[in-house]
């Protein structure tokens, strides 16, 4: 691994790792909205009570969270499949060791999905503050549980056979390591800059007279709303950088070389540049809360570069901890199955269907 990602690997391995990172980034764009949005709603409602219900950002989140959760689940299928192809027995072993704790992801997501629709409907049961607060806290807890399970699964999958044997023999409820909490905290906090970018675009559509997909959102957005979103983005970026440094420092020195070695250092630099671009745009919007396409495109470009760099750094750390060469023959065998064209066709069809659904909703609300 003396070449930048994904070079230096056999062709088939490089293809699967590239597809894994690319589809993971797409999934994270939606996942961050859900994770950050549910946490935002829960904390805001607990702290502000009824005043939290009237804000533009809260209204946007209640309207969009059910759809974005379904998009996050759909977009998560591709990186899940590529992780199985790229890491095979490691991924399967972690699933089996976690057993019913891993299977609990499905009911947690279903429960969160239907509660989000309940919150969107503004049902009469939600007129009482205790039910609103409880519902939002439960949704947030479900999303955090899923994030915790994925973090645990990932860390367990890169362990040695001896660790797996001890885990199975002990029969413990969860795999415990000092790395879980700082890693999970980093993923949770990193969701807020992405959430802020989503909200900024949604505010711009309402402010600029673009396609208005939400009937109950005011067409005019105050400067206070823009400044609030900018502050959310700034705080999220600062906390992400702090927690990233804390997480990196608690890693063994051998693991930290994954970030600064030939495999990932170009992406580390690109990620830092992306963070700087986001920070500059959010600072400008906080000082002068006027949204325009130029600022939004620069900020979104910085976010895309940051997430891509983050995805490569994530994989480089995993590749440092395992012997990927042992999986090269399996990757070659997988490439002969010829399922890539079917994957591409399903991706195109699903994307078209999602776009059609959005257009149908848009036209219905304009009538």
């Amino acid at each position: 691994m003396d070449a930048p990602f994904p070079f230096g690997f056999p062709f088939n391995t490089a293809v699967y790792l590239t597809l894994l990172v690319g589809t993971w980034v797409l999934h994270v764009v939606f996942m961050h909205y859900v994770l950050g949005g549910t946490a935002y709603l829960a904390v805001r409602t607990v702290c502000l009570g009824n005043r939290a219900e009237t804000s533009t950002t809260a209204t946007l989140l209640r309207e969009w969270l059910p759809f974005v959760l379904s998009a996050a689940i759909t977009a998560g299928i591709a990186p899940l499949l590529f992780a199985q192809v790229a890491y095979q027995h490691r991924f399967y072993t972690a699933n089996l060791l976690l057993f019913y704790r891993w299977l609990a992801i499905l009911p947690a997501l279903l429960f969160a999905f239907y509660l989000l629709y309940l919150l969107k409907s503004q049902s009469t049961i939600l007129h009482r503050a205790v039910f609103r607060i409880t519902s939002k806290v439960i949704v947030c807890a479900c999303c955090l549980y899923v994030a915790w399970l994925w973090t645990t699964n990932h860390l367990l999958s890169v362990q040695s056979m001896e660790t797996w044997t001890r885990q199975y023999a002990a029969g413990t409820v969860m795999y415990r390591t000092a790395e879980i909490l700082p890693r999970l905290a980093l993923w949770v906090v990193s969701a807020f800059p992405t959430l802020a970018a989503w909200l900024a675009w949604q505010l711009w559509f309402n402010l600029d007279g673009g396609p208005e997909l939400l009937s109950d959102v005011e067409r005019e957005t105050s400067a206070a709303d823009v400044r609030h979103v900018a502050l959310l983005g700034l705080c999220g970026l600062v906390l992400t950088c702090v927690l990233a440094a804390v997480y990196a420092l608690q890693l063994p020195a051998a693991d930290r070389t994954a970030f600064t070695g030939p495999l990932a250092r170009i992406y580390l630099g690109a990620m830092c540049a992306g963070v700087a671009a986001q920070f500059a745009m959010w600072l400008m919007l906080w000082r002068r809360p006027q949204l325009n396409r130029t600022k939004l495109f620069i900020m979104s470009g910085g976010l895309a570069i940051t997430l891509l760099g983050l995805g490569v750094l994530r994989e480089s750390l995993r590749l440092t901890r395992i012997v990927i060469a042992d999986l090269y023959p399996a990757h070659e065998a997988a490439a002969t199955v010829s399922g890539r064209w079917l994957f591409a066709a399903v991706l195109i069809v699903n994307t078209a269907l999602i776009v059609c659904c959005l257009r149908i909703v848009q036209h219905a609300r304009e009538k």
Side-chain angles (χ1 to χ4, degrees), residues 192-193 196 227-241 275 278-287:
F192 290 101
R227 183 174 280 115
H228 177 72
V229 171
L231 185 61
L232 180 66
L234 285 171
C235 292
L237 282 174
V238 171
L239 288 175
T240 298
C241 292
V275 169
Q278 291 180 79
F279 190 88
M281 292 302 103
W282 287 129
L283 189 60
M284 290 175 62
L285 286 172
W286 183 73
R287 289 179 174 177

Side-chain angles (χ1 to χ4, degrees), residues 182-183 185-186 189 237-252 256 259 268 271-272 310 313:
R183 187 183 178 99
L186 173 60
V189 171
L237 282 174
V238 171
L239 288 175
T240 298
C241 292
V242 171
L243 288 178
V246 171
Y247 175 63
L249 290 175
Q250 65 93 39
L251 289 174
R256 287 199 297 272
F259 305 143
L268 177 62
M271 187 179 70
C272 293
L310 193 60
L313 291 178

Side-chain angles (χ1 to χ4, degrees), residues 305-320:
I305 294 172
T306 301
L307 293 179
L308 177 60
L310 193 60
V312 173
L313 291 178
R314 174 178 178 268
E315 288 309 309
S316 66
L317 181 58
R318 173 153 51 182
L319 292 169
T320 300

Side-chain angles (χ1 to χ4, degrees), residues 51-70:
R51 288 180 297 167
E53 303 297 320
T54 59
S55 70
T56 304
T57 52
T59 304
L60 285 167
L61 287 170
R62 285 198 305 270
E63 285 287 331
W64 278 87
L65 272 170
F67 167 76
V68 180
L69 176 56
S70 64

Side-chain angles (χ1 to χ4, degrees), residues 177-247:
T177 175
E179 190 179 346
I180 289 180
L181 287 181
R183 187 183 178 99
L184 178 62
L186 173 60
W187 286 123
V188 172
V189 171
S190 66
F192 290 101
T194 309
L195 172 65
W198 271 86
L199 291 173
W201 276 105
Q202 290 173 313
L203 291 175
W204 179 81
F205 275 122
N206 289 285
L207 177 67
D208 194 63
E212 188 177 87
L213 302 180
L214 305 175
S215 60
D216 58 346
V217 176
E218 294 294 335
R219 191 156 182 83
E220 294 297 326
T221 302
S222 67
D225 292 322
V226 178
R227 183 174 280 115
H228 177 72
V229 171
L231 185 61
L232 180 66
L234 285 171
C235 292
L237 282 174
V238 171
L239 288 175
T240 298
C241 292
V242 171
L243 288 178
V246 171
Y247 175 63

